[in-house]
Amino acid sequence: MEEVRVFPLTCAVQNYAWGKMGLDSEVAKLVVGGDPLAVIEVDKPYAELWMGAHPKGDAQIKDNRIAQTTLGQWIAHYPACLGSKVKEAFQGQLPFLFKVLSVNTALSIQAHPNKLCQANPCLNRADIIQWFSKHRAAGKDTSSSSGDLLLRLHSQYPGDIGCFSIYFLNYVVLEPGQAMFLGANEPHAYIYGDCIECMACSDNTVRAGLTRKYIDVNTLCEMLNYKPASASSKIFPCVPDPADPCVTLYDPPVPDFTVMKIQVPASVKEYTIASVDSASILLVIHGDATATSAAAFSDITLRRGTVLFVSANESVSLQISSQSGMTMFRACSLL
């Protein structure tokens, strides 16, 4: 029998300590939306939802007609699902890891490797922290000099020299719909909020601060990119898809992944998710629909939190039942 090539997934949740707690977390809300029987613990952090085939968080297949239990196992068995170009370029592996992040306290300052060299900054951290604390206690304004942010980071990571990164890294606040692209060797840390993230399918990380984990100073100094840039230059432009007015493309300068935002207006009740020559993962953020595809062999109910795997060159037709349209994000590799 021909294999099922479109199917829903149960995705791995990472309960890192920096995540938002219980149903304050967007990750937890999506988990419950996709599976109303899921149990969310109010005193547990729900930090990341991993949608992909990474060995540390391989998604589970929800279709009982499929013998392989995880997405990674299924792709290994049917590598043609990736699309011919992706299969060849990435040695039969899904090249991206799609994520939702719910950040309550700052993540470690980190970078993902390449190569370079740096000077080692020296900061008298105790004196500076004491100065800002004294000024705040006296009712003086510290916000204009980033003092409030410094003290917030210090409360999360007391004595960590990474708190001073705010004085040599950009502070970027993303509005809904905005994105940024971080290349290899660029130090960064999420401070607070919820976001969609897509990255190459790797967990190579070198840490620089705001962490209790190991900091490899020598590797860090050799690899970092020290080229200065403004905060505004980090906002990554999105472009409308000329073939579909419902689609906005976030297409970074790397081959591993592209993200599409699909926003179907309330007036549209029938919509087709177009085929692309790449395997893709679809996340429903808002709305309800019934999905049909020749590659699914049966209808699939889509609701907030549903995650769907779509093989290369397969389309999916939606009968939309929600009165306010649908919002979805799709990750793929557009070589």
Side-chain angles (χ1 to χ4, degrees):
M1 186 181 84
E2 189 177 11
E3 75 270 14
V4 181
R5 300 185 301 281
V6 174
F7 46 80
L9 300 171
T10 298
C11 296
V13 175
Q14 307 292 355
N15 303 107
Y16 303 133
W18 50 258
K20 292 184 180 180
M21 306 297 284
L23 285 172
D24 288 337
S25 167
E26 185 68 16
V27 169
K29 292 174 184 176
L30 289 169
V31 168
V32 170
D35 179 8
L37 298 179
V39 176
I40 300 299
E41 300 176 42
V42 295
D43 57 350
K44 188 174 184 178
Y46 292 82
E48 295 190 3
L49 183 67
W50 285 24
M51 298 169 283
H54 193 283
K56 292 184 179 178
D58 200 354
Q60 299 286 316
I61 295 173
K62 290 176 73 171
D63 194 315
N64 59 16
R65 295 167 297 179
I66 297 174
Q68 295 76 25
T69 58
T70 73
L71 180 59
Q73 291 170 345
W74 191 85
I75 291 172
H77 201 72
Y78 298 107
C81 74
L82 297 170
S84 57
K85 292 180 181 178
V86 175
K87 176 187 171 184
E88 181 178 353
F90 296 101
Q91 295 78 51
Q93 305 291 318
L94 188 69
F96 58 84
L97 179 59
F98 203 24
K99 293 184 180 182
V100 178
L101 276 63
S102 288
V103 181
N104 190 47
T105 59
L107 280 68
S108 61
I109 303 168
Q110 58 190 256
H112 307 297
N114 224 336
K115 227 178 178 185
L116 256 169
C117 187
Q118 138 186 41
N120 196 8
C122 180
L123 296 169
N124 191 341
R125 51 191 163 185
D127 289 349
I128 298 174
I129 292 290
Q130 186 179 36
W131 187 89
F132 276 118
S133 298
K134 186 167 66 175
H135 274 62
R136 177 189 271 180
K140 295 181 179 179
D141 182 21
T142 58
S143 58
S144 61
S145 55
S146 303
D148 285 344
L149 179 57
L150 174 66
L151 292 175
R152 175 150 62 99
L153 294 176
H154 175 66
S155 71
Q156 297 170 8
Y157 298 95
D160 191 317
I161 200 169
C163 297
F164 295 98
S165 64
I166 60 173
Y167 296 109
F168 55 89
L169 296 181
N170 289 311
Y171 180 55
V172 181
V173 178
L174 294 177
E175 300 296 332
Q178 287 186 320
M180 64 187 302
F181 172 72
L182 293 164
N185 304 326
E186 292 192 43
H188 60 278
Y190 295 108
I191 294 177
Y192 185 82
D194 303 288
C195 69
I196 298 286
E197 181 185 61
C198 199
M199 58 189 296
C201 192
S202 168
D203 63 349
N204 289 339
T205 299
V206 180
R207 292 176 174 84
L210 302 183
T211 182
R212 296 171 182 86
K213 297 181 179 179
Y214 174 65
I215 298 176
D216 186 341
V217 175
N218 291 333
T219 300
L220 188 71
C221 291
E222 289 176 2
M223 63 176 271
L224 287 188
N225 174 5
Y226 302 101
K227 183 178 180 181
S230 65
S232 60
S233 72
K234 293 300 176 185
I235 304 299
F236 184 68
C238 58
V239 296
D241 185 344
D244 187 340
C246 295
V247 175
T248 303
L249 292 170
Y250 300 86
D251 192 15
V254 293
D256 309 70
F257 56 87
T258 294
V259 174
M260 304 176 185
K261 182 180 181 181
I262 305 173
Q263 202 145 29
V264 185
S267 59
V268 175
K269 296 302 177 186
E270 296 183 358
Y271 178 77
T272 298
I273 299 169
S275 63
V276 294
D277 189 22
S278 165
S280 62
I281 291 179
L282 182 81
L283 169 66
V284 179
I285 296 293
H286 169 78
D288 302 283
T290 299
T292 59
S293 172
F297 300 160
S298 64
D299 293 355
I300 301 172
T301 300
L302 301 187
R303 60 171 73 90
R304 172 170 162 78
T306 298
V307 181
L308 207 63
F309 177 80
V310 182
S311 294
N313 305 306
E314 300 292 350
S315 61
V316 179
S317 299
L318 303 185
Q319 293 286 334
I320 299 172
S321 54
S322 51
Q323 298 304 306
S324 52
M326 291 195 77
T327 301
M328 298 165 281
F329 284 91
R330 181 186 193 182
C332 59
S333 174
L334 297 180
L335 294 178

mmCIF file of all heavy atoms in Angstrom, residues 263-290:
data_model
loop_
_atom_site.group_PDB
_atom_site.id
_atom_site.type_symbol
_atom_site.label_atom_id
_atom_site.label_comp_id
_atom_site.label_asym_id
_atom_site.label_seq_id
_atom_site.Cartn_x
_atom_site.Cartn_y
_atom_site.Cartn_z
ATOM 1 N N GLN A 263 -2.114 33.539 6.446
ATOM 2 C CA GLN A 263 -3.221 34.203 7.117
ATOM 3 C C GLN A 263 -4.417 34.219 6.160
ATOM 4 O O GLN A 263 -4.446 34.981 5.186
ATOM 5 C CB GLN A 263 -2.827 35.617 7.521
ATOM 6 C CG GLN A 263 -3.653 36.185 8.637
ATOM 7 C CD GLN A 263 -2.835 37.078 9.558
ATOM 8 O OE1 GLN A 263 -1.869 37.690 9.129
ATOM 9 N NE2 GLN A 263 -3.236 37.173 10.816
ATOM 10 N N VAL A 264 -5.376 33.342 6.452
ATOM 11 C CA VAL A 264 -6.554 33.211 5.600
ATOM 12 C C VAL A 264 -7.665 34.074 6.177
ATOM 13 O O VAL A 264 -8.046 33.901 7.351
ATOM 14 C CB VAL A 264 -7.018 31.743 5.518
ATOM 15 C CG1 VAL A 264 -8.170 31.615 4.525
ATOM 16 C CG2 VAL A 264 -5.858 30.835 5.109
ATOM 17 N N PRO A 265 -8.207 35.033 5.411
ATOM 18 C CA PRO A 265 -9.230 35.933 5.962
ATOM 19 C C PRO A 265 -10.546 35.214 6.233
ATOM 20 O O PRO A 265 -10.807 34.124 5.703
ATOM 21 C CB PRO A 265 -9.381 36.990 4.860
ATOM 22 C CG PRO A 265 -8.911 36.331 3.612
ATOM 23 C CD PRO A 265 -7.850 35.358 4.024
ATOM 24 N N ALA A 266 -11.377 35.847 7.056
ATOM 25 C CA ALA A 266 -12.654 35.245 7.453
ATOM 26 C C ALA A 266 -13.568 34.983 6.261
ATOM 27 O O ALA A 266 -14.404 34.072 6.290
ATOM 28 C CB ALA A 266 -13.345 36.158 8.467
ATOM 29 N N SER A 267 -13.426 35.761 5.198
ATOM 30 C CA SER A 267 -14.291 35.612 4.021
ATOM 31 C C SER A 267 -13.989 34.355 3.211
ATOM 32 O O SER A 267 -14.792 33.944 2.377
ATOM 33 C CB SER A 267 -14.151 36.843 3.126
ATOM 34 O OG SER A 267 -12.798 37.005 2.714
ATOM 35 N N VAL A 268 -12.829 33.754 3.436
ATOM 36 C CA VAL A 268 -12.417 32.577 2.655
ATOM 37 C C VAL A 268 -12.726 31.304 3.451
ATOM 38 O O VAL A 268 -12.251 31.153 4.574
ATOM 39 C CB VAL A 268 -10.915 32.641 2.319
ATOM 40 C CG1 VAL A 268 -10.464 31.370 1.610
ATOM 41 C CG2 VAL A 268 -10.617 33.868 1.471
ATOM 42 N N LYS A 269 -13.507 30.428 2.862
ATOM 43 C CA LYS A 269 -13.879 29.186 3.541
ATOM 44 C C LYS A 269 -13.234 27.947 2.926
ATOM 45 O O LYS A 269 -13.242 26.875 3.539
ATOM 46 C CB LYS A 269 -15.410 29.018 3.543
ATOM 47 C CG LYS A 269 -16.121 30.111 4.345
ATOM 48 C CD LYS A 269 -15.631 30.144 5.790
ATOM 49 C CE LYS A 269 -16.261 31.254 6.610
ATOM 50 N NZ LYS A 269 -15.681 31.358 7.966
ATOM 51 N N GLU A 270 -12.693 28.094 1.737
ATOM 52 C CA GLU A 270 -11.961 26.997 1.101
ATOM 53 C C GLU A 270 -10.578 27.523 0.713
ATOM 54 O O GLU A 270 -10.466 28.547 0.043
ATOM 55 C CB GLU A 270 -12.696 26.474 -0.134
ATOM 56 C CG GLU A 270 -14.038 25.848 0.185
ATOM 57 C CD GLU A 270 -14.710 25.267 -1.058
ATOM 58 O OE1 GLU A 270 -14.123 25.404 -2.165
ATOM 59 O OE2 GLU A 270 -15.800 24.701 -0.937
ATOM 60 N N TYR A 271 -9.556 26.826 1.164
ATOM 61 C CA TYR A 271 -8.192 27.292 0.917
ATOM 62 C C TYR A 271 -7.297 26.086 0.684
ATOM 63 O O TYR A 271 -7.446 25.046 1.341
ATOM 64 C CB TYR A 271 -7.671 28.097 2.120
ATOM 65 C CG TYR A 271 -6.241 28.558 1.950
ATOM 66 C CD1 TYR A 271 -5.932 29.644 1.128
ATOM 67 C CD2 TYR A 271 -5.186 27.894 2.581
ATOM 68 C CE1 TYR A 271 -4.620 30.063 0.957
ATOM 69 C CE2 TYR A 271 -3.875 28.314 2.414
ATOM 70 C CZ TYR A 271 -3.596 29.399 1.598
ATOM 71 O OH TYR A 271 -2.300 29.810 1.412
ATOM 72 N N THR A 272 -6.358 26.222 -0.243
ATOM 73 C CA THR A 272 -5.416 25.145 -0.541
ATOM 74 C C THR A 272 -4.011 25.554 -0.133
ATOM 75 O O THR A 272 -3.502 26.601 -0.565
ATOM 76 C CB THR A 272 -5.423 24.794 -2.043
ATOM 77 O OG1 THR A 272 -6.731 24.328 -2.402
ATOM 78 C CG2 THR A 272 -4.409 23.696 -2.346
ATOM 79 N N ILE A 273 -3.410 24.760 0.724
ATOM 80 C CA ILE A 273 -2.001 24.919 1.059
ATOM 81 C C ILE A 273 -1.209 24.330 -0.097
ATOM 82 O O ILE A 273 -1.245 23.124 -0.347
ATOM 83 C CB ILE A 273 -1.667 24.210 2.383
ATOM 84 C CG1 ILE A 273 -2.494 24.816 3.518
ATOM 85 C CG2 ILE A 273 -0.173 24.318 2.687
ATOM 86 C CD1 ILE A 273 -2.429 24.022 4.811
ATOM 87 N N ALA A 274 -0.519 25.182 -0.828
ATOM 88 C CA ALA A 274 0.127 24.768 -2.075
ATOM 89 C C ALA A 274 1.275 23.800 -1.816
ATOM 90 O O ALA A 274 1.919 23.829 -0.759
ATOM 91 C CB ALA A 274 0.627 26.000 -2.821
ATOM 92 N N SER A 275 1.551 22.975 -2.786
ATOM 93 C CA SER A 275 2.686 22.059 -2.704
ATOM 94 C C SER A 275 3.987 22.824 -2.939
ATOM 95 O O SER A 275 4.014 23.818 -3.670
ATOM 96 C CB SER A 275 2.550 20.943 -3.734
ATOM 97 O OG SER A 275 2.576 21.472 -5.053
ATOM 98 N N VAL A 276 5.042 22.383 -2.298
ATOM 99 C CA VAL A 276 6.391 22.888 -2.543
ATOM 100 C C VAL A 276 7.314 21.685 -2.657
ATOM 101 O O VAL A 276 7.012 20.594 -2.156
ATOM 102 C CB VAL A 276 6.883 23.838 -1.424
ATOM 103 C CG1 VAL A 276 6.061 25.110 -1.399
ATOM 104 C CG2 VAL A 276 6.846 23.146 -0.064
ATOM 105 N N ASP A 277 8.466 21.875 -3.308
ATOM 106 C CA ASP A 277 9.403 20.764 -3.501
ATOM 107 C C ASP A 277 10.287 20.594 -2.262
ATOM 108 O O ASP A 277 11.508 20.623 -2.328
ATOM 109 C CB ASP A 277 10.263 21.007 -4.746
ATOM 110 C CG ASP A 277 11.087 19.776 -5.113
ATOM 111 O OD1 ASP A 277 10.712 18.662 -4.700
ATOM 112 O OD2 ASP A 277 12.119 19.938 -5.801
ATOM 113 N N SER A 278 9.634 20.432 -1.129
ATOM 114 C CA SER A 278 10.316 20.228 0.147
ATOM 115 C C SER A 278 9.306 19.681 1.145
ATOM 116 O O SER A 278 8.124 20.068 1.108
ATOM 117 C CB SER A 278 10.882 21.549 0.683
ATOM 118 O OG SER A 278 11.238 21.452 2.046
ATOM 119 N N ALA A 279 9.740 18.804 2.007
ATOM 120 C CA ALA A 279 8.914 18.460 3.159
ATOM 121 C C ALA A 279 8.681 19.711 3.984
ATOM 122 O O ALA A 279 9.540 20.594 4.052
ATOM 123 C CB ALA A 279 9.604 17.389 4.004
ATOM 124 N N SER A 280 7.515 19.817 4.606
ATOM 125 C CA SER A 280 7.233 20.993 5.426
ATOM 126 C C SER A 280 6.472 20.587 6.681
ATOM 127 O O SER A 280 5.873 19.514 6.756
ATOM 128 C CB SER A 280 6.442 22.039 4.626
ATOM 129 O OG SER A 280 5.188 21.542 4.221
ATOM 130 N N ILE A 281 6.548 21.471 7.663
ATOM 131 C CA ILE A 281 5.807 21.297 8.907
ATOM 132 C C ILE A 281 4.912 22.504 9.080
ATOM 133 O O ILE A 281 5.356 23.654 8.969
ATOM 134 C CB ILE A 281 6.755 21.127 10.102
ATOM 135 C CG1 ILE A 281 7.479 19.778 9.992
ATOM 136 C CG2 ILE A 281 5.997 21.205 11.423
ATOM 137 C CD1 ILE A 281 8.470 19.504 11.092
ATOM 138 N N LEU A 282 3.633 22.241 9.356
ATOM 139 C CA LEU A 282 2.612 23.280 9.459
ATOM 140 C C LEU A 282 2.106 23.342 10.898
ATOM 141 O O LEU A 282 1.757 22.323 11.483
ATOM 142 C CB LEU A 282 1.452 22.969 8.508
ATOM 143 C CG LEU A 282 0.315 23.986 8.470
ATOM 144 C CD1 LEU A 282 0.690 25.159 7.575
ATOM 145 C CD2 LEU A 282 -0.972 23.330 7.953
ATOM 146 N N LEU A 283 2.061 24.546 11.459
ATOM 147 C CA LEU A 283 1.537 24.776 12.808
ATOM 148 C C LEU A 283 0.334 25.702 12.713
ATOM 149 O O LEU A 283 0.418 26.790 12.142
ATOM 150 C CB LEU A 283 2.610 25.413 13.691
ATOM 151 C CG LEU A 283 2.137 25.959 15.045
ATOM 152 C CD1 LEU A 283 1.664 24.840 15.963
ATOM 153 C CD2 LEU A 283 3.240 26.782 15.713
ATOM 154 N N VAL A 284 -0.781 25.267 13.308
ATOM 155 C CA VAL A 284 -1.986 26.105 13.350
ATOM 156 C C VAL A 284 -1.943 26.948 14.617
ATOM 157 O O VAL A 284 -1.872 26.423 15.732
ATOM 158 C CB VAL A 284 -3.268 25.247 13.328
ATOM 159 C CG1 VAL A 284 -4.504 26.147 13.391
ATOM 160 C CG2 VAL A 284 -3.319 24.380 12.074
ATOM 161 N N ILE A 285 -1.981 28.267 14.449
ATOM 162 C CA ILE A 285 -1.985 29.207 15.564
ATOM 163 C C ILE A 285 -3.410 29.618 15.925
ATOM 164 O O ILE A 285 -3.755 29.802 17.088
ATOM 165 C CB ILE A 285 -1.160 30.463 15.221
ATOM 166 C CG1 ILE A 285 0.313 30.089 15.021
ATOM 167 C CG2 ILE A 285 -1.304 31.539 16.290
ATOM 168 C CD1 ILE A 285 1.006 29.609 16.277
ATOM 169 N N HIS A 286 -4.258 29.753 14.903
ATOM 170 C CA HIS A 286 -5.628 30.205 15.130
ATOM 171 C C HIS A 286 -6.528 29.610 14.063
ATOM 172 O O HIS A 286 -6.155 29.541 12.893
ATOM 173 C CB HIS A 286 -5.701 31.736 15.071
ATOM 174 C CG HIS A 286 -7.101 32.272 15.038
ATOM 175 N ND1 HIS A 286 -7.902 32.356 16.154
ATOM 176 C CD2 HIS A 286 -7.864 32.708 13.990
ATOM 177 C CE1 HIS A 286 -9.077 32.830 15.813
ATOM 178 N NE2 HIS A 286 -9.079 33.064 14.518
ATOM 179 N N GLY A 287 -7.732 29.192 14.463
ATOM 180 C CA GLY A 287 -8.729 28.755 13.507
ATOM 181 C C GLY A 287 -8.974 27.266 13.515
ATOM 182 O O GLY A 287 -8.207 26.481 14.091
ATOM 183 N N ASP A 288 -10.062 26.874 12.856
ATOM 184 C CA ASP A 288 -10.476 25.472 12.764
ATOM 185 C C ASP A 288 -10.783 25.134 11.312
ATOM 186 O O ASP A 288 -11.351 25.953 10.581
ATOM 187 C CB ASP A 288 -11.724 25.217 13.617
ATOM 188 C CG ASP A 288 -11.513 25.564 15.077
ATOM 189 O OD1 ASP A 288 -10.876 24.769 15.776
ATOM 190 O OD2 ASP A 288 -11.974 26.643 15.498
ATOM 191 N N ALA A 289 -10.436 23.908 10.916
ATOM 192 C CA ALA A 289 -10.689 23.484 9.545
ATOM 193 C C ALA A 289 -10.642 21.963 9.465
ATOM 194 O O ALA A 289 -10.105 21.290 10.359
ATOM 195 C CB ALA A 289 -9.661 24.090 8.592
ATOM 196 N N THR A 290 -11.175 21.437 8.384
ATOM 197 C CA THR A 290 -10.995 20.031 8.031
ATOM 198 C C THR A 290 -10.046 19.985 6.844
ATOM 199 O O THR A 290 -10.272 20.653 5.832
ATOM 200 C CB THR A 290 -12.339 19.376 7.668
ATOM 201 O OG1 THR A 290 -13.216 19.442 8.805
ATOM 202 C CG2 THR A 290 -12.137 17.920 7.282
#
